[in-house]
Amino acid sequence: MKKILVPTDFSKEAENALKVAAQLAKRHNSEIYLLHMLEIPFQEVDAMNAHSGALPEAMFFMKLAHQRFENVMASDYLDGITVHETVKADSNFGNVIETCKEHNVDMIVMGSHGASGFKEMFVGSNAEKVVRTSDIPVLVIKNEHANFNVDNFVFASDFKNDNKETYKQAVDLAKAFDAKVHLLMVNTPNNFSNTADAKKRIQDFIKDYPFANYTMNIYNDESVEKGILNFSREIDADLIGISTHGRQGIAHFFNGSISEDLVNHAKRPVITFKI
């Protein structure tokens, strides 16, 4: 985890994410790429002669963004961390993915303030691509964390073979935090497995990537989302991990549907791993 990308609109939610990213950067000796996307039509500014009035406005917003960057990077919590200032000329959240590829970023850390925040940042026509198409883990932060420690990490899955790579990523993250992984399979009325079959599926799933610090859990609930939230609340999890699929959006194991509920309603951090 050498490079971390943090998109920012300079809001409190974005600052919460940046504070977590700073803690991760100090722990892993990482660099942070702080990305701001200006909400002005820079394609119109290119024709400077034809639209001479647009240039002063564009320059004003660029100057304002740089001032905000300077204020943020003067924060004590960023002391000793290499922070790169990155500005994109529009608010298309495809720029997040593009910036990650440009700089070989290892993880995205993003802020959210609940249902409306998640929908604005992730589920909109452009922003959904961040989670749905990101090839690297995306960590969604809801609240301020003075000390971002992960002792109990829930990894929820259907434990089918195409999720195995995401499990490896989750275990690597757990090792970095010295965390216990709580493997979670949620039974629902419409998709039910008996305990013996569920445990065998999980055991077969994890056997090729040994990791001793884990628990195995089969949890019954009305829906997968509710099961994950209720189980995580019961054990007071510090982090929830789920798999994503490029074609099916968030939560590959949600019978192919795109479910926003988990990240919308979870009060604790959620990290997504691309299948």
Side-chain angles (χ1 to χ4, degrees):
M1 192 190 307
K2 295 302 181 185
K3 296 181 179 180
I4 301 170
L5 179 76
V6 182
T8 184
D9 56 1
F10 305 105
S11 65
K12 179 62 177 177
E13 291 75 27
E15 185 179 22
N16 290 340
L18 181 57
K19 287 180 178 179
V20 168
Q23 294 178 53
L24 295 175
K26 289 180 179 179
R27 186 173 300 165
H28 301 285
N29 194 28
S30 308
E31 299 179 2
I32 291 176
Y33 288 81
L34 191 58
L35 171 65
H36 178 59
M37 292 167 287
L38 289 171
E39 297 183 5
I40 56 177
F42 263 65
Q43 63 273 16
E44 296 180 9
V45 178
D46 290 338
M48 295 181 188
N49 294 330
H51 303 280
S52 58
L55 183 58
E57 181 183 7
M59 294 302 294
F60 169 78
F61 282 109
M62 283 291 292
K63 184 176 181 180
L64 180 62
H66 285 297
Q67 287 175 344
R68 288 177 169 177
F69 270 120
E70 289 178 1
N71 292 337
V72 169
M73 289 192 281
S75 302
D76 292 342
Y77 59 83
L78 291 176
D79 284 349
I81 303 172
T82 300
V83 181
H84 302 275
E85 175 185 331
T86 306
V87 178
K88 291 291 183 178
D90 62 67
S91 59
N92 184 334
F93 268 80
N95 283 324
V96 176
I97 305 302
E98 177 184 322
T99 304
C100 288
K101 292 178 179 178
E102 287 175 1
H103 300 288
N104 295 315
V105 170
D106 302 298
M107 176 183 286
I108 301 168
V109 181
M110 300 188 75
S112 173
H113 55 76
S116 61
F118 182 80
K119 288 174 183 175
E120 289 168 6
M121 294 193 85
F122 290 97
V123 185
S125 59
N126 294 320
E128 182 192 10
K129 298 175 184 178
V130 176
V131 167
R132 183 163 54 84
T133 66
S134 175
D135 292 325
I136 60 176
V138 181
L139 175 61
V140 182
I141 299 296
K142 293 292 187 68
N143 304 302
E144 185 171 6
H145 297 267
N147 295 295
F148 186 71
N149 295 316
V150 180
D151 296 319
N152 292 294
F153 177 22
V154 172
F155 179 75
S157 177
D158 60 2
F159 297 97
K160 293 183 178 178
N161 287 336
D162 59 353
N163 285 359
K164 283 190 174 182
E165 181 57 36
T166 65
Y167 170 68
K168 292 179 181 179
Q169 294 178 56
V171 167
D172 288 342
L173 185 65
K175 290 177 179 178
F177 280 104
D178 194 23
K180 175 173 286 188
V181 175
H182 300 272
L183 303 172
L184 176 64
M185 180 175 174
V186 177
N187 267 329
T188 64
N190 295 326
N191 189 13
F192 185 85
S193 297
N194 64 58
T195 301
D197 289 345
K199 285 186 175 180
K200 185 179 186 304
R201 186 195 293 187
I202 296 173
Q203 288 168 342
D204 290 343
F205 182 87
I206 66 175
K207 65 182 181 182
D208 296 329
Y209 201 66
F211 180 70
N213 192 17
Y214 74 93
T215 67
M216 191 182 305
N217 306 274
I218 293 85
Y219 195 90
N220 301 326
D221 214 318
E222 296 176 4
S223 69
V224 174
E225 297 95 328
K226 287 183 178 180
I228 296 171
L229 292 174
N230 289 333
F231 175 80
S232 299
R233 183 168 53 249
E234 287 179 12
I235 69 165
D236 194 22
D238 302 297
L239 180 64
I240 300 171
I242 58 175
S243 304
T244 65
H245 195 289
R247 294 190 307 275
Q248 297 174 355
I250 195 167
H252 169 62
F253 52 89
F254 291 170
N255 296 322
S257 65
I258 298 178
S259 175
E260 306 159 19
D261 289 344
L262 178 61
V263 182
N264 286 343
H265 298 150
K267 295 180 181 179
R268 59 200 79 239
V270 175
I271 188 166
T272 63
F273 303 98
K274 176 73 174 293
I275 294 175

